[in-house]
Each structure stands twice: as C-alpha cells, then as structure tokens.
Amino acid sequence: MCGRFAITLPPDAMAQLFAAAPANALPEVPNYNVCPTNDVHVVWNADGQRRLGAMRWGFLPHWYKTVNGGPLLINARGETLADKPAFKAACRARRCLIPASGFYEWTRDSADNRLPWYIHPARGEVLAFAGVWQDWERDDQMLRTCAIVTTAANSSMSRIHHRMPVILAPDDWSLWLGETGKGAAALMVPAPETALDFYRVGTAVNSNRASGPELSEPLGT
C-alpha cells in the first residue's frame, strides 16, 4: 500500500538521474504530501527515449465513463498485475517509474488513532516506485494516469503495514521500462531489509490539505 508520499528532488535533477527528457510542465516541488488524484512525476519510455512528465495518480481503465466511474486505483498488486483486466495491458506495454523521496504509512494505537510514519531511503535521496500508466479519453477530455505497483512488505516494513511499494534499484530501471528484454515480473518483490529507514512523524500529515517540510520531520523535533 502507498497512499501518500513526498518528492523533494528538483525536476532537472530527476531528469539527470533517470536520463530522461523533461516535459515543460511538471508538478511543483518540493511536495511533502503528494495525495491521490494529484499530478505526479513519472518516467516512461516512448519510442526509445525516456520521458519525465506529469500523470494523474489514480489509474483510469478505458471503460470508466467518468473520472469517478469506479474505484480510485492508486495501487496495483504486483501478484495479480498481469491478470487484472484494469492493469494487464499496461503491465505488458506501459510500465513506468514514479520518483519519491519517501512515503507515509499508518499504524493505530489502542484508541484507534492513526499514527503516521515516514519511510525513506537508507542511502541516497530518491526512491523509484514501479508503476503502470494508462491514457484515458472521454469526449474532449484526455488524462494520462498511473498507479504504484505494490508487493508484500519485507519483515522490517511489516511492523507498520503488510504491503509496500515495489522499489526498483537503478540497475533494474531499464528492465522495468521494457528497454532490456523480458523478465520484469521478477522485480515485483519486497525491497531489501537494509534499503529503508522509518520513523514516526506528527499527525498533521493525516490531513490531505497539510503541506511543508515539517510533515516529514521526526516526531518531537
């Protein structure tokens, strides 16, 4: 599961890191509270060239008659990605990378209060989530949309949540993007135990209207 994340890397640095040609209009950064239906930064391969552009976070299958025509698909389970009608075509032909500086998950206390955690790379400054994307058109409206692929949590993350995004190492980006043959299914596994660190943050991030760097600061600092 991934329902909120942060991205702080400037677009020119993202373009350089992913060797991608950036679009003219990209979402503003830093954003410490990226929420479903927001536009997010996405890297994909088009005609042999990596692109960095914006997509709506919330995958819209082609049969949705409106943007609210079905469940909001922000995540796609890696275990069933190739079989689910919503995702199976995108799994074959439209895979992407979604950069993030970190993401949030929640536990609950004995009073059922939601307690947020910030999960971030143990080394480096960016994560690359595996994603799939889809163009959706109705009448004169066209949206390019995406979802984050998830897998079972590793043992460290399972203390917080039973699912986690598929996080791809740089050596695997080309395979996921379809640039180096087949075998991408093997990448849909939990990140290594040492790949991530996490800590509690304040409950301000529980609101989708909250913003600012304080959202990702350790609780009590």
Side-chain angles (χ1 to χ4, degrees):
M1 180 66 182
C2 180
R4 303 274 187 87
F5 66 92
I7 180 67
T8 61
L9 198 66
D12 56 347
M14 276 189 263
Q16 183 176 4
L17 177 65
F18 292 99
N24 290 327
L26 290 167
E28 291 186 8
V29 289
N31 186 345
Y32 293 89
N33 196 8
V34 180
C35 300
T37 74
N38 286 171
D39 282 348
V40 298
H41 299 83
V42 177
V43 176
W44 73 101
N45 190 294
D47 301 320
Q49 170 68 56
R50 287 187 189 177
R51 311 286 183 181
L52 172 65
M55 297 188 188
R56 176 190 185 267
W57 184 21
F59 190 99
L60 294 177
H62 64 84
W63 61 80
Y64 279 22
K65 294 182 178 179
T66 68
V67 294
N68 299 314
L72 181 60
L73 304 176
I74 61 170
N75 295 147
R77 292 177 66 94
E79 298 89 338
T80 57
L81 190 66
D83 302 315
K84 288 287 187 181
F87 300 120
K88 62 182 182 180
C91 176
R92 292 193 301 270
R94 293 186 301 279
R95 298 191 297 268
C96 61
L97 306 173
I98 301 173
S101 301
F103 62 100
Y104 301 94
E105 286 294 358
W106 282 260
T107 55
R108 291 183 181 272
D109 64 14
S110 58
D112 206 34
N113 296 308
R114 298 178 74 229
L115 308 177
W117 297 73
Y118 185 62
I119 301 99
H120 62 97
R123 294 171 297 278
E125 57 184 341
V126 71
L127 302 169
F129 297 153
V132 289
W133 65 274
Q134 169 80 40
D135 282 339
W136 178 85
E137 296 184 58
R138 278 294 182 276
D139 301 323
D140 59 349
Q141 187 178 20
M142 197 284 280
L143 292 173
R144 183 156 284 182
T145 70
C146 65
I148 295 170
V149 179
T150 68
T151 187
N154 62 30
S155 60
S156 297
M157 263 296 297
S158 65
R159 296 166 48 193
I160 302 172
H161 199 278
H162 67 285
R163 303 289 296 176
M164 69 185 300
V166 172
I167 297 168
L168 300 173
D171 288 346
D172 295 326
W173 295 348
S174 291
L175 181 57
W176 183 255
L177 293 176
E179 299 167 348
T180 54
K182 298 181 179 180
L187 301 177
M188 291 186 282
V189 295
E193 298 293 334
T194 58
L196 301 171
D197 285 334
F198 49 87
Y199 52 79
R200 275 285 318 281
V201 295
T203 56
V205 74
N206 291 0
S207 169
N208 60 14
R209 295 183 297 274
S211 62
E214 68 279 0
L215 298 182
S216 64
E217 294 176 356
L219 190 65
T221 62

